[in-house]
Amino acid sequence: MRHFANWGILGLTLIFLIGPFVIIILAGASAGPNLAFPPEGLSLKWYAKVFTIESFRASFVLSMALAVFGTITALVLGIPAAYALNRYDLPGAETIRTIVAAPIIVPGIIVGLALLRYVVVPMNVTVTVALFMAHTALVLPYAVRVVSSSMHNLRADMEEAAVLLGCSRMQAFTKVVLPNIRGGVLAAFILGFVTSFNQVPVSLFLSGPGVRTLPIDMLAYMEITFDPSIAALSALLAFMSLAIVFVAERLLGFSRYV
Amino acid sequence: MFRNRREGLALALPAAIFSTLLFLVPVAILLSEAFRSDTGFSLQGYVDFFASPLNRSVFLRTLKLGVLVAGSAAIIGYAAAFCIVNLPGKARGTVFGMVVLPLMISPVARTYAWIVILGRTGIVNDAIVGLGLSASPIRLLFTETAVFLGLLQLFLPLMIISLVSAMENIPRDVIPAARVLGASWLNVFFKVILPLTKEGLVIGGTLVFTGALTAYITPAILGGSKVLMLETLLYQKVNVSNDFVSASVIAMILIAMSFAANLVLKRIATARS
Amino acid sequence: MSDTFVQLTDLTLTYGKNIAVPALNLSIREGELIALLGPSGCGKTTTMRAIAGLLAPASGSIHIDGRDVTRLAANKRGIGLVFQSYALFPHLNAFENVAFGLRLQKLPEAEIKSRTEQGMATVGLSGFEGRKPAEMSGGQQQRLALARSLVMRPKVLLLDEPLSNLDARLRLEMRTELQRVQKETGVTMVFVTHDQAEALALADRIVLMQQGKIEQLGTPAQLYAQPETAFAAEFMGFENIFKVAGDSVQNDHGSLPLGYRPDSAILAWRPDGVRVGQGPHQGRVTACSFAGGHREYVIDSALGPVKANADIALPEAQIGDSLSFDLPQATARPLRA
Ligand SMILES: Nc1ncnc2c1ncn2[C@@H]1O[C@H](COP(=O)(O)OP(=O)(O)OP(=O)(O)O)[C@@H](O)[C@H]1O
Ligand SMILES: [Mg+2]
């Protein structure tokens, strides 16, 4: 009886959480011209159409580039910061931690607007660069937090041992610290990538003519057209995320870091 | 050790400076905008903002939806988390994974599904018309209900994750022990489970409430201009009326509400014990 | 034995505002085996870390082999340190852990292999080459850490509680092993221990520390037989320590007349040194345990509990019995205040 109730509750919750994706996948596979569920016959034409829409191709490339390079930049800034916050007795460590974590606390739309108004416009920065900076700032807190927590479990005396065995400080970092936080770094990358790729509010104000991230482009497309291609594209993105998470989980038990 | 502070600062400062210049300073200027006037410090921006009935109703709606979403997420979250924790090891990992998964998927995709479900030709309306409950499709999209459902679906996983990890820390035999001592399930929940998981509730509650406040896509797609929330209102103020003072006020309200939510939840949690 | 090899001069070590070690002076000869003995928190690890170069001294200097190394980087000092926590590299297997330092020296592969294998054999870990540290027991990890330092052939080898995690049998084995390695290589060794028996068995000289200061320095025989302070005496197993007042001893509980007039401020007896079954004093037995060759009594007297060992041949006293005892002058150790 208890068992039954358990699965009942879980079943309903999972239907609520996952059901919409099933609907989207099927709606995208409609043979008819309108968004509908159940679909009016099945075909893959909308899935195929997504790839022919020029603006989606461009915005997909932009989103990809932002996610990859923004996250890498965030890691380049974040790994040394995480290391210093863990290993050094820094004056103002708490302040630095708060500053670096702050972009998580403040709503993305505000970050985007503030950047636009006080950095991009006055300094005449191009939209692409602005997006890149915004996405990096957005991912930085995750990079620092995830790398920090994987470094936290790593005893500092291992580096001391390495130095006593002849390493320079830098070698101790690359030969001992880095191999041991590899999982955390990879997890931070994936988390950062997904966050950046799916991000809307930060980019909302920073998109310019012809320069739009994919989610924003989708929002714009939705306002004009009401065909199943957005459903198909959404389904494709969902599959992409699933694939990334699945591979990450297989490789390093990703969920431990989230 | 041989680690000196200058070296440490050199490692930490690039990230801090980056965040300060590209984030802290611009946001601070934006927030200060509503306090500035020709004569110096002023609260006029706030007065004007709240003088508008539309703005007030959007503010209240945002608050209401935030509370409703967080409250519903807590109720569903407790039920779901309790079931998950009681699952055998392997099933538990799978179910937990299925709960986490949606978080990795684009919110645009997640929200778009509700258009298919709630639209004029969506399944719900098909069912309503098919069952003869209404002669023509009723409006479900662009209602508070739609926004509520969308937000709940978006943020429920955060609550479940927080509660599951809180419940995992409840010592194994506490609940059976309470049952043996004659506590009813309701008693067990309020006397045992709730006190022991309140930290998870605070974290989850803050995440969900803040998430609901600051979500843009869901109110934009499912609420449109009929059901504005603060985020969508902010976008309108900037893009339609170029009103940066109002934008600054809204920004301040959003940040203040997130902080307040965290404080209030913490207070409630400590008061209980 | 040759001259001073490691010289610590007025070495002051601090953590922020806390002074862990104030003005320490110590000379260690080449090839010597020194034990740092003392209670937890007395500054043993801190001193080691300073010698190794992991902790910059607030003041004072460190000389090794005639050279001032106070400001020399840790990786240039040629010192080995076996950490209290082992500090093994979790991502490398046992072989690579041991070979780590040799690889940094860019030695030929064959030499790396032979020295690593030899080092692992020395600590009895042959056959464990492929294991990750996480797959080894605490004792095996400790020995691996030892091997990792040994293969570097350091000038000075520092060991922070090298035997603490081993079972009794392995401990004895490793003690002998350490001594053998030390005699064979002639390396100067400093090892930390809490355990006086271990210090006595292994060391050429013992440095007894308390709160960052050297309480007493001497050979095991000196420390064992002639502790100079109450602290040293207590550490060396003198369990009955009393203040002298005229021709009596006294403490918070009361006093007992000795029948002789000692000329020191404090007197101490080992439980062995207290004579039981005869003597001028009376007490009630509050605890009695059998310890093989003797019985250990706790006698409640005018001085509070007195610990005494009685020969097994003497008739056994039960708890609650009255027992006479003596604090003889012959076995009393005079201590300074
Ligand atoms: N990193 C640190 N920061 C501040 N104080 C420290 C630090 N490490 C040690 N101390 C303090 O310095 C003193 C000496 O510590 P140390 O680690 O040298 O003791 P120890 O003799 O090795 O003790 P144990 O036998 O427990 O290992 C102690 O009072 C300790 O609290
Ligand atoms: Mg120590």
Side-chain angles (χ1 to χ4, degrees):
Chain A
M1 185 55 217
R2 274 280 307 289
H3 233 75
F4 191 71
N6 257 358
W7 280 109
I9 291 172
L10 283 178
L12 287 176
T13 311
L14 288 178
I15 287 177
F16 179 63
L17 288 177
I18 309 242
F21 297 115
V22 178
I23 291 176
I24 276 234
I25 293 166
L26 291 176
S30 169
N34 295 314
L35 185 64
F37 186 86
E40 307 151 347
L42 288 177
S43 90
L44 285 178
K45 69 176 181 190
W46 295 107
Y47 282 92
K49 186 185 174 207
V50 167
F51 292 93
T52 65
I53 300 176
E54 186 54 45
S55 92
F56 283 164
R57 286 223 297 258
S59 55
F60 177 81
V61 170
L62 176 66
S63 274
M64 266 297 185
L66 285 175
V68 170
F69 294 112
T71 306
I72 289 177
T73 312
L75 283 172
V76 168
L77 291 167
I79 293 174
Y83 180 77
L85 287 171
N86 266 287
R87 291 289 195 260
Y88 291 81
D89 179 23
L90 291 184
E94 243 353 273
T95 314
I96 295 176
R97 225 182 281 273
T98 311
I99 291 175
V100 174
I104 273 191
I105 308 163
V106 175
I109 195 165
I110 300 173
V111 179
L113 176 60
L115 266 179
L116 173 74
R117 228 165 119 62
Y118 309 109
V119 178
V120 175
V121 173
M123 294 181 186
N124 208 1
V125 178
T126 67
V127 177
T128 318
V129 173
L131 278 171
F132 168 74
M133 295 189 309
H135 279 243
T136 306
L138 179 81
V139 172
L140 187 58
Y142 296 97
V144 174
R145 196 188 62 197
V146 175
V147 174
S148 253
S149 72
S150 73
M151 210 169 304
H152 191 75
N153 302 325
L154 200 66
R155 301 191 51 114
D157 53 19
M158 269 168 25
E159 288 158 70
E160 299 177 344
V163 167
L164 287 173
L165 292 169
C167 278
S168 67
R169 302 289 309 288
M170 192 65 199
Q171 281 175 315
F173 182 81
T174 55
K175 283 179 187 295
V176 174
V177 179
L178 221 43
N180 283 299
I181 60 166
R182 215 178 37 196
V185 172
L186 207 54
F189 180 82
I190 289 165
L191 197 61
F193 177 89
V194 170
T195 307
S196 166
F197 193 89
N198 292 336
Q199 172 62 37
V200 167
V202 166
S203 331
L204 211 48
F205 289 114
L206 296 176
S207 296
V211 186
R212 278 185 184 146
T213 64
L214 184 58
I216 303 231
D217 208 20
M218 288 166 75
L219 285 179
Y221 187 89
M222 252 183 247
E223 282 175 8
I224 317 164
T225 334
F226 208 64
D227 66 23
S229 55
I230 291 290
L233 180 51
S234 294
L236 287 174
L237 289 181
F239 282 127
M240 186 184 87
S241 301
L242 288 192
I244 292 174
V245 172
F246 185 76
V247 170
E249 183 67 46
R250 272 292 143 89
L251 281 183
L252 44 94
F254 176 60
S255 45
R256 157 166 88 95
Y257 295 97
V258 179
Chain B
M1 115 185 202
F2 42 172
R3 310 179 188 282
N4 61 51
R5 289 181 164 185
R6 203 160 345 126
E7 202 176 86
L9 282 177
L11 291 171
L13 280 184
I17 291 172
F18 182 89
S19 260
T20 306
L21 289 185
L22 291 178
F23 168 79
L24 224 49
V25 171
V27 169
I29 302 177
L30 178 67
L31 291 180
S32 75
E33 195 132 353
F35 296 108
R36 271 184 280 139
S37 72
D38 304 334
T39 54
F41 181 81
S42 146
L43 286 174
Q44 198 54 42
Y46 284 81
V47 175
D48 291 347
F49 181 84
F50 281 105
S52 146
L54 171 75
N55 291 351
R56 276 205 307 271
S57 75
V58 170
F59 169 74
L60 290 177
R61 176 186 296 131
T62 307
L63 192 61
K64 181 177 82 182
L65 279 174
V67 171
L68 275 178
V69 170
S72 316
I75 294 169
I76 303 174
Y78 265 112
F82 190 71
C83 298
I84 290 178
V85 173
N86 281 326
L87 286 177
K90 202 162 161 69
R92 179 175 171 167
T94 313
V95 172
F96 191 67
M98 286 168 81
V99 170
V100 175
L101 213 58
L103 287 178
M104 296 288 150
I105 295 174
S106 168
V108 176
R110 300 173 68 189
T111 306
Y112 194 70
W114 291 101
I115 294 187
V116 187
I117 298 169
L118 300 174
R120 288 186 67 81
T121 56
I123 22 177
V124 176
N125 263 322
D126 282 357
I128 289 174
V129 175
L131 291 173
L133 295 176
S134 165
S136 58
I138 55 174
R139 202 185 67 176
L140 296 166
L141 273 182
F142 312 120
T143 61
E144 286 189 2
T145 314
V147 177
F148 168 80
L149 284 173
L151 289 174
L152 185 61
Q153 201 253 355
L154 212 52
F155 296 115
L156 179 59
L158 295 176
M159 179 65 90
I160 299 182
I161 293 171
S162 307
L163 289 178
V164 165
S165 56
M167 281 190 196
E168 279 174 341
N169 296 330
I170 298 182
R172 236 190 137 56
D173 297 327
V174 167
I175 292 169
R179 291 286 288 165
V180 169
L181 291 173
S184 70
W185 273 113
L186 219 56
N187 261 328
V188 169
F189 179 76
F190 282 108
K191 296 260 155 66
V192 181
I193 300 180
L194 191 59
L196 287 174
T197 53
K198 62 191 180 189
E199 265 180 35
L201 183 61
V202 169
I203 296 173
T206 311
L207 287 175
V208 174
F209 182 77
T210 315
L213 287 190
T214 60
Y216 173 81
I217 299 160
T218 306
I221 297 182
L222 299 179
S225 53
K226 290 217 173 59
V227 188
L228 282 173
M229 285 180 73
L230 283 175
E231 284 254 331
T232 38
L233 181 65
L234 189 154
Y235 185 72
Q236 278 204 351
K237 295 276 182 201
V238 172
N239 258 25
V240 180
S241 46
N242 254 327
D243 177 0
F244 289 101
V245 173
S246 292
S248 164
V249 172
I250 296 175
M252 185 59 108
I253 295 174
L254 285 173
I255 294 175
M257 277 166 94
S258 318
F259 274 99
N262 189 273
L263 285 182
V264 168
L265 279 167
K266 261 191 197 148
R267 179 58 62 84
I268 293 175
T270 42
R272 273 279 155 74
S273 57
Chain C
M1 295 219 181
S2 58
D3 289 332
T4 296
F5 192 66
V6 179
Q7 171 72 48
L8 312 181
T9 315
D10 292 331
L11 193 65
T12 302
L13 306 171
T14 56
Y15 292 105
K17 289 197 164 46
N18 292 342
I19 300 180
V21 174
L24 186 80
N25 285 289
L26 177 65
S27 352
I28 299 168
R29 298 183 207 110
E30 181 154 23
E32 200 172 23
L33 214 175
I34 292 273
L36 282 185
L37 182 64
S40 185
C42 72
K44 306 180 295 285
T45 300
T46 305
T47 307
M48 291 259 200
R49 291 170 56 82
I51 300 175
L54 298 176
L55 182 73
S59 65
S61 68
I62 303 169
H63 287 76
I64 294 175
D65 205 3
R67 186 158 159 239
D68 185 348
V69 298
T70 318
R71 304 269 154 236
L72 192 67
N75 54 350
K76 305 258 156 56
R77 291 193 187 184
I79 287 182
L81 171 58
V82 177
F83 284 77
Q84 202 164 3
S85 56
Y86 326 134
L88 294 166
F89 306 132
H91 62 297
L92 300 177
N93 64 23
F95 183 93
E96 288 304 327
N97 261 282
V98 177
F100 187 89
L102 302 174
R103 289 208 190 285
L104 283 169
Q105 293 180 352
K106 304 233 161 27
L107 297 177
E109 191 60 36
E111 186 179 349
I112 293 177
K113 187 159 187 291
S114 75
R115 271 170 72 173
T116 302
E117 278 170 356
Q118 192 199 335
M120 293 194 63
T122 305
V123 296
L125 282 181
S126 300
F128 284 86
E129 283 81 359
R131 296 262 192 113
K132 289 275 174 69
E135 301 158 355
M136 303 172 83
S137 74
Q140 288 165 346
Q141 293 182 29
Q142 205 159 34
R143 284 183 280 153
L144 187 62
L146 179 60
R148 187 177 65 178
S149 288
L150 276 178
V151 294
M152 299 301 292
R153 298 179 186 155
K155 286 189 282 191
V156 181
L157 182 58
L158 309 172
L159 305 119
D160 202 346
E161 308 204 24
L163 308 178
S164 59
N165 261 322
L166 307 179
D167 63 37
R169 192 184 61 84
L170 256 179
R171 225 173 147 108
L172 276 180
E173 244 174 61
M174 286 305 292
R175 254 190 217 176
T176 332
E177 201 54 50
L178 270 183
Q179 262 172 330
R180 188 184 62 76
V181 168
Q182 200 259 337
K183 292 296 168 258
E184 233 167 55
T185 58
V187 62
T188 308
M189 269 193 202
V190 181
F191 75 97
V192 162
T193 178
H194 281 289
D195 178 355
Q196 49 117 344
E198 192 170 287
L200 292 171
L202 262 175
D204 294 323
R205 283 194 303 158
I206 296 175
V207 178
L208 180 64
M209 291 181 70
Q210 189 201 7
Q211 295 184 353
K213 300 202 184 82
I214 296 183
E215 185 80 11
Q216 192 173 348
L217 171 66
T219 64
Q222 280 167 343
L223 253 89
Y224 188 79
Q226 297 146 21
E228 283 161 9
T229 63
F231 178 81
E234 202 179 333
F235 228 88
M236 289 298 142
F238 288 81
E239 294 190 57
N240 307 296
I241 302 176
F242 308 110
K243 277 205 214 79
V244 174
D247 58 359
S248 324
V249 283
Q250 64 173 43
N251 61 10
D252 297 343
H253 293 276
S255 72
L256 270 186
L258 283 173
Y260 50 89
R261 182 174 275 275
D263 54 6
S264 66
I266 301 173
L267 282 185
W269 288 266
R270 292 180 188 284
D272 281 332
V274 178
R275 194 179 316 139
V276 182
Q278 49 173 303
H281 313 304
Q282 288 290 324
R284 196 161 295 281
V285 175
T286 56
C288 167
S289 55
F290 176 69
H294 61 269
R295 284 195 184 83
E296 299 179 352
Y297 289 110
V298 178
I299 305 169
D300 192 28
S301 72
L303 291 169
V306 168
K307 303 229 173 100
N309 291 353
D311 195 281
I312 204 76
L314 291 171
E316 183 181 355
Q318 303 294 331
I319 290 178
D321 287 356
S322 166
L323 198 59
S324 57
F325 67 95
D326 188 16
L327 298 171
Q329 188 165 22
T331 55
R333 169 69 196 159
L335 304 173
R336 58 183 152 77

